[in-house]
Amino acid sequence: MGDERISAGRTPDGDSAVTGSTDGISRRAALASAVGLTASTSGCVRQLRSIVNRDDIQQLSLTITTRSADGDRESIRLAREIAATLETVGIDVSIEMRSNEEFLRAVLINHDFDLYVGQHPGGIDPDFLYETLHSLYADESGWQNPFGFTNLLIDDRLEAQRVADGDERREAVVAMLEAIAIEQPFVPICTPTEYRLVRDDRYDGWSRGHLATRTGYLDLEPQTDNSADRLRVVHMDPRPSENLNPLNAEYREQGTFIDLLYDSLAVEVVAADGDHALEPWLAEGWEWTDESTLRLALRSDCAFHDGEPVTADDVAFTYRFLEDTVLGADAFPAPTPRYRGRVAAVDDIDVRDETTLEITVGTGQAVGEQALTVPILPEHRWSSRATAATVPGVRIAQGTTEAVVTDNIPPIGSGPFQYDSHSDRDYVLFERFDDHFTRRGSVDLPEPTVEELRIGIDPRSTSAIQLLEDDSADVTSSPLESYVIEDIEETDAVRPLESPSWTFYHLGFNARSAPFGNPRFRQVIAQLIDKAWLVDEVFHGHATPIATPVTDEWTPDDLAWDGADPKMPFLGSNGEVDVDTARTAFEEAGFRYDADGKLRVRQ
Amino acid sequence: MLSEVLTRVVIVVSILLPISLGLFVGRERLATTRTEWRSRIRLSGPAILVVSSVLLLNRTVRQDGPGIGVHMTEVIRKIEGEFVLIFQEVATPQLTAYFSFIYIYGYTFLLVFPVMAYFALSDTKMFRRLLTAYAFNYAIGLVLYALVIAYGPRNVLPELIASSGSGTSTMLYDHSPEFKYLTREVNRNVNVFPSLHTSLSATVGIFAYLTRSSYPKWLPVAIVLAVSVIISTMYLGLHWGIDVLAGLALASFCVALSCRIVGRWSLSGLYEQLTEFDRF
């Protein structure tokens, strides 16, 4: 009976035939009618299959991955505001919170996200966008293209600014930024203004170096008898006390303290007010022997913290190693998750003798010189780390070398400070490397003036401020969270120090999955974010809304913030989205709404 | 900073303890305890051993987490919404000071006092039950912490917890940042479900009820303290309502379990059986 009912339901004229057979019609007649029925329904079945086998388009449901308030108070707030906005335009949103390192692992290593909100370390030079967006890197792990963004036009523009120099490069950068502003591979939201607290009574010279860079902690002038003994730094992120690996993406933000431990050939010396210049550092100097060849001489008699000399071989090793942390021993290379774009600029390194080498770059000179800013690793420490990391009984992802996962404690670099001791989530203590070249009389570069530098971990702005007020600390190395800035009381000894930032908060899309790979979709989302309102609301005004993710110096007039986003103006006002306008925008981008006002998107 | 805070906790609790021992336990019981403490400790040996090993395990496991759990913050938030924010509506600086005090000092006292008070009873059954219940609370809480990864309200709604109508922050670590040193020593910020502050306070509350005939004056004090601790976890933005419910359920379960187990088997009896068995 069950079968009959189904066929009866499907074919209206089958009803009588099937029920008829139970009414004593002859077997032959029944058979004949059944054959006829099959013939007449075969067309229907095709149609039926066509109807039934179409996937229904569901409401767009997405997840925003971000950090908890302990990790980044601004990120979770931005994520919640954006989630609320997306909900009003008919998208189902949930928020996933992760700790600092889990967040970066999900986004940078495993690409396990739909959308994410976070802070990008950015760059003083706009070339950081090359590694951030070039399609060649869409499959790699690390800060190189976490979005999986692929666009041949953008690739062209990213490459064009890389090979150009001078005014030509300036124009190429403008062209690149404009193309990016249209594509919106990620939505740049704002650049925070960094506030730190410093104590003036023990040290002078805070405004010399930018405290997000190594030079902020060099050349300080001790003001009292015992202040040269120990510089007391408060850091709000516990990760430097847990891991000191310059190649690890999950434990590094800007890598300020890593830069105190490791030297690079050249250093971008950034003043507290943001002025910067690329200075020879471990290299005594360099000259361009032709368009693409740099000849460098290393400073003589430099040593790593374990006493081994720094040689041209270590430099050549570093660039080779960062390009492939398995050093060719595996079926495919395992490039570094940090410094990727800078290393890619180097085509070849020719070691001439112990201290001279020639570097051939495949880029223009400006970007080629940026390649000199990667940390120089001692070959004798790192060559053994070119092996796959192992955990007994667990299958490890290919390309996971010891080099990218080790905590690298104790770190052996050649930088102005060397590692002394640490305790997880508590502190890490550096001691001055007395043999550092900056301490030589003949060298006029920022030098370490304190004997010890203790980075105390204190997870909250409020307690960090208390430490400074109690004279238990000299400086907060992490920027203070924006909600406490208004409450800071300036005293004789303690004062806030404001400095520009090149980091930026952004909303990242995982372009590997629909509909985030669709630029029209991304454009509409970008227009649902009221950046100026968020700056007031979330950052208490201590940030600047941006339309393009580079520093002011490189921002073209077309993309400068002029009270509103010049390319992606907000569809609404005062943080409130105009739902009708937003719906029209989605519909014009080819998406549909159902009767309940839900955005239906094929995912 | 940590040692400063610790010292303060030790000082406050060691002022409160003798006063309350005198008040609730009485001189007589303390005097008998002085003569009988050896035999009581011998009797309670197993319970003491269990609770101290669980506490030791607790210290190592809670800080790092095994990394096998499921992220549940969003689920909790979708179920209960922004329920915890109702406490923000009644927030005043005085209440904040009160609940911060209760959360740290009150809680420590609430946990330590009954251990001493029940040790002072000549029948060690309650003492052993209490220790066993503590051990179960920690052990089960530990497993749940490993399985459920969730952030508390302060991590999800930082601005709503921090900016109450009175202008001062009710978030514990903004109001009293020094406490962060203390709690960081024992906890990760994703150890939210269930609220162990709730379950242990409720455990003490239930025991206070069970022992009301021995310590009638302790019962109201314990109830007030326990309820205050439980409210403080939500008021200070540390726990969700669901964590508190789970904590209450955990407390009832652990008390019931400890009453079942303690006194059923005795280890010394077991030992006698074994040695008897040996003789054959």
Side-chain angles (χ1 to χ4, degrees):
Chain A
M1 279 301 277
D3 280 345
E4 281 170 16
R5 214 174 266 148
I6 287 169
S7 57
R10 279 179 187 173
T11 55
D13 55 344
D15 232 324
S16 57
V18 176
T19 44
S21 69
T22 55
D23 279 342
I25 290 180
S26 75
R27 189 176 286 174
R28 178 173 296 193
L31 201 67
S33 76
V35 171
L37 186 72
T38 315
S40 73
T41 51
S42 68
C44 287
V45 169
R46 259 202 310 277
Q47 192 182 339
L48 185 81
R49 204 179 288 145
S50 172
I51 296 170
V52 173
N53 290 350
R54 287 172 185 237
D55 293 337
D56 193 17
I57 300 183
Q58 304 286 334
Q59 184 188 14
L60 174 61
S61 173
L62 59 82
T63 303
I64 302 181
T65 306
T66 192
R67 303 184 197 206
S68 68
D70 275 349
D72 185 343
R73 190 186 172 90
E74 278 76 27
S75 278
I76 174 66
R77 289 209 57 199
L78 286 174
R80 273 182 35 237
E81 296 294 352
I82 292 169
T85 305
L86 297 185
E87 296 266 6
T88 63
V89 298
I91 302 173
D92 174 44
V93 188
S94 58
I95 294 178
E96 253 180 37
M97 289 194 303
R98 296 280 184 271
S99 67
N100 288 328
E101 55 271 28
E102 284 173 338
F103 169 76
L104 291 174
R105 202 172 301 135
V107 172
L108 303 180
I109 311 294
N110 296 325
H111 303 146
D112 177 21
F113 65 98
D114 295 334
L115 264 58
Y116 76 83
V117 173
Q119 192 176 13
H120 193 287
I124 293 174
D125 189 283
D127 183 57
F128 80 88
L129 286 165
Y130 173 79
E131 65 174 21
T132 309
L133 295 173
H134 200 286
S135 56
L136 276 180
Y137 300 138
D139 219 34
E140 288 187 10
S141 290
W143 277 107
Q144 54 269 39
N145 206 343
F147 316 106
F149 176 74
T150 51
N151 182 302
L152 294 176
L153 171 80
I154 302 270
D155 284 356
D156 268 352
R157 303 266 168 104
L158 291 166
E159 287 162 21
Q161 61 80 29
R162 234 165 124 82
V163 294
D165 273 310
D167 286 343
E168 204 187 316
R169 176 159 190 245
R170 214 153 248 289
E171 281 166 31
V173 167
V174 172
M176 165 181 86
L177 295 175
E178 292 197 327
I180 291 171
I182 291 166
E183 281 287 333
Q184 296 285 321
F186 57 86
V187 184
I189 298 172
C190 65
T191 291
T193 313
E194 299 180 357
Y195 288 88
R196 294 181 176 78
L197 224 49
V198 297
R199 271 195 88 84
D200 277 327
D201 56 349
R202 290 190 4 117
Y203 293 99
D204 209 3
W206 291 116
S207 35
R208 212 163 285 162
H210 196 297
L211 285 162
T213 67
R214 51 160 79 75
T215 40
Y217 304 87
L218 303 175
D219 261 2
L220 294 172
E221 291 160 29
Q223 297 296 301
T224 60
D225 289 343
N226 62 0
S227 55
D229 296 348
R230 176 180 280 190
L231 174 65
R232 305 159 305 173
V233 177
V234 201
H235 199 63
M236 284 179 259
D237 179 351
R239 286 175 292 170
S241 71
E242 299 167 322
N243 178 306
L244 289 165
N245 180 355
L247 307 190
N248 187 296
E250 299 121 277
Y251 284 84
R252 298 282 83 79
E253 295 295 325
Q254 289 178 284
T256 311
F257 299 124
I258 289 295
D259 288 345
L260 288 170
L261 296 167
Y262 287 88
D263 281 331
S264 47
L265 295 172
V267 159
E268 195 78 64
V269 176
V270 191
D273 60 5
D275 277 350
H276 61 95
L278 193 70
E279 301 277 358
W281 192 256
L282 201 53
E284 204 160 17
W286 61 79
E287 54 169 349
W288 289 92
T289 56
D290 64 43
E291 235 171 35
S292 58
T293 311
L294 256 173
R295 174 173 298 189
L296 290 145
L298 298 185
R299 288 180 201 278
S300 52
D301 302 323
C302 287
F304 288 108
H305 301 151
D306 59 0
E308 296 286 324
V310 180
T311 66
D313 283 329
D314 289 305
V315 176
F317 166 80
T318 299
Y319 285 89
R320 212 168 62 234
F321 189 66
L322 294 183
E323 192 77 33
D324 178 10
T325 58
V326 288
L327 293 169
D330 211 340
F332 55 83
T336 169
R338 298 182 75 225
Y339 313 110
R340 181 69 171 113
R342 280 180 254 179
V343 176
V346 174
D347 276 353
D348 191 36
I349 296 189
D350 188 9
V351 175
R352 286 305 172 91
D353 60 45
E354 185 105 315
T355 56
T356 41
L357 35 89
E358 281 188 359
I359 297 181
T360 316
V361 297
T363 61
Q365 300 190 343
V367 173
E369 287 177 2
Q370 289 292 315
L372 303 179
T373 59
V374 306
I376 299 303
L377 309 174
E379 181 173 6
H380 62 277
R381 298 278 302 184
W382 287 80
S383 55
S384 61
R385 290 175 175 167
T387 51
T390 52
V391 175
V394 182
R395 226 182 103 99
I396 305 288
Q398 202 166 2
T400 310
T401 51
E402 197 59 40
V404 298
V405 294
T406 173
D407 63 9
N408 190 36
I409 291 177
I412 302 291
S414 62
F417 284 94
Q418 56 185 328
Y419 168 86
D420 179 274
S421 59
H422 84 288
S423 164
D424 279 2
R425 288 178 287 262
D426 188 4
Y427 77 95
V428 53
L429 181 65
F430 293 170
E431 130 189 81
R432 182 169 62 205
F433 184 47
D434 285 326
D435 296 337
H436 196 255
F437 62 82
T438 50
R439 296 187 37 87
R440 297 173 193 169
S442 57
V443 177
D444 186 26
L445 284 169
E447 61 178 285
T449 51
V450 295
E451 263 170 53
E452 284 182 339
L453 187 152
R454 184 184 191 274
I455 300 153
I457 305 300
D458 196 294
R460 301 197 66 83
S461 297
T462 40
S463 40
I465 293 172
Q466 210 172 59
L467 285 178
L468 258 97
E469 284 170 351
D470 297 348
D471 195 12
S472 303
D474 298 307
V475 58
T476 60
S477 48
S478 334
L480 298 173
E481 293 159 288
S482 46
Y483 79 107
V484 299
I485 293 170
E486 295 303 320
D487 300 334
I488 295 173
E489 285 162 29
E490 191 168 341
T491 63
D492 285 346
V494 180
R495 78 183 152 98
L497 188 74
E498 182 186 329
S499 40
S501 180
W502 46 94
T503 67
F504 56 91
Y505 282 87
H506 65 303
L507 174 72
F509 299 99
N510 194 341
R512 296 171 189 86
S513 59
F516 315 117
N518 183 339
R520 291 179 192 276
F521 177 84
R522 296 194 300 259
Q523 284 180 342
V524 181
I525 296 285
Q527 292 178 68
L528 299 179
I529 298 175
D530 193 348
K531 300 173 184 178
W533 181 81
L534 287 171
V535 162
D536 281 343
E537 189 66 20
V538 175
F539 292 85
H540 302 266
H542 303 298
T544 321
I546 50 169
T548 188
V550 295
T551 54
D552 284 348
E553 186 188 348
W554 289 95
T555 304
D557 293 342
D558 284 11
L559 293 174
W561 191 264
D562 58 354
D565 193 306
K567 290 283 190 241
M568 299 290 147
F570 178 58
L571 301 176
S573 58
N574 284 330
E576 290 288 327
V577 149
D578 183 339
V579 177
D580 290 334
T581 321
R583 282 178 63 158
T584 312
F586 272 118
E587 278 161 357
E588 281 172 357
F591 299 97
R592 282 156 290 180
Y593 275 92
D594 67 10
D596 303 333
K598 291 176 176 163
L599 181 66
R600 288 155 68 95
V601 170
R602 196 178 288 280
Q603 278 185 286
Chain B
M1 276 286 232
L2 172 66
S3 52
E4 258 171 61
V5 181
L6 265 180
T7 321
R8 260 162 52 196
V9 172
V10 171
I11 291 174
V12 169
V13 173
S14 52
I15 291 173
L16 285 176
L17 276 179
I19 299 175
S20 38
L21 281 174
L23 220 62
F24 302 124
V25 179
R27 198 163 286 178
E28 215 170 295
R29 284 203 180 98
L30 291 174
T32 33
T33 307
R34 199 172 301 155
T35 54
E36 291 178 8
W37 66 274
R38 274 171 215 280
S39 65
R40 288 186 198 173
I41 288 220
R42 201 163 44 239
L43 262 173
S44 320
I48 294 173
L49 203 73
V50 166
V51 80
S52 32
S53 48
V54 168
L55 284 176
L56 219 76
L57 185 76
N58 174 61
R59 216 184 135 68
T60 50
V61 178
R62 242 162 113 173
Q63 196 56 263
D64 286 320
I68 49 162
V70 184
H71 285 271
M72 298 286 272
T73 319
E74 195 68 2
V75 176
I76 293 175
R77 221 184 113 212
K78 288 213 162 139
I79 294 173
E80 72 167 78
E82 295 181 344
F83 163 74
V84 288
L85 295 183
I86 63 163
F87 296 103
Q88 301 304 311
E89 280 164 28
V90 296
T92 62
Q94 292 78 18
L95 268 181
T96 306
Y98 170 72
F99 281 122
S100 302
F101 180 85
I102 285 288
Y103 186 82
I104 299 288
Y105 303 106
Y107 174 69
T108 315
F109 169 73
L110 189 65
L111 255 56
V112 174
F113 173 72
V115 175
M116 299 189 158
Y118 296 154
F119 187 69
L121 292 175
S122 44
D123 183 356
T124 60
K125 192 180 270 174
M126 273 301 160
F127 178 67
R128 285 178 289 144
R129 279 184 183 166
L130 181 78
L131 292 189
T132 317
Y134 278 3
F136 276 124
N137 270 301
Y138 276 114
I140 299 170
L142 216 62
V143 173
L144 287 170
Y145 281 157
L147 296 178
V148 179
I149 301 176
Y151 289 96
R154 68 179 183 88
N155 255 311
V156 184
L157 315 161
E159 79 288 6
L160 298 176
I161 300 293
S163 57
S164 64
S166 55
T168 56
S169 172
T170 58
M171 217 296 289
L172 180 65
Y173 306 129
D174 281 332
H175 177 261
S176 321
E178 66 277 13
F179 290 150
K180 183 75 197 171
Y181 300 97
L182 195 65
T183 49
R184 159 176 90 169
E185 281 299 301
V186 294
N187 226 335
R188 281 199 312 157
N189 57 7
V190 288
N191 291 347
V192 162
F193 179 93
S195 159
L196 275 191
H197 262 75
T198 300
S199 73
L200 287 164
S201 305
T203 300
V204 171
I206 298 171
F207 271 97
Y209 178 76
L210 296 177
T211 57
R212 64 191 179 283
S213 52
S214 311
Y215 295 128
K217 278 184 276 178
W218 167 240
L219 177 63
V221 176
I223 297 289
V224 168
L225 274 178
V227 170
S228 296
V229 170
I230 292 168
I231 292 176
S232 76
T233 62
M234 293 181 283
Y235 180 95
L236 299 170
L238 303 164
H239 284 288
W240 302 101
I242 288 178
D243 308 331
V244 168
L245 284 183
L248 293 174
L250 178 63
S252 338
F253 177 74
C254 292
V255 174
L257 201 64
S258 68
C259 291
R260 281 255 161 140
I261 288 179
V262 172
R264 167 169 289 198
W265 307 291
S266 93
L267 277 186
S268 46
L270 203 69
Y271 176 75
E272 273 166 28
Q273 274 179 8
L274 276 176
T275 44
E276 242 171 78
F277 183 75
D278 254 6
R279 251 177 263 151
F280 289 105

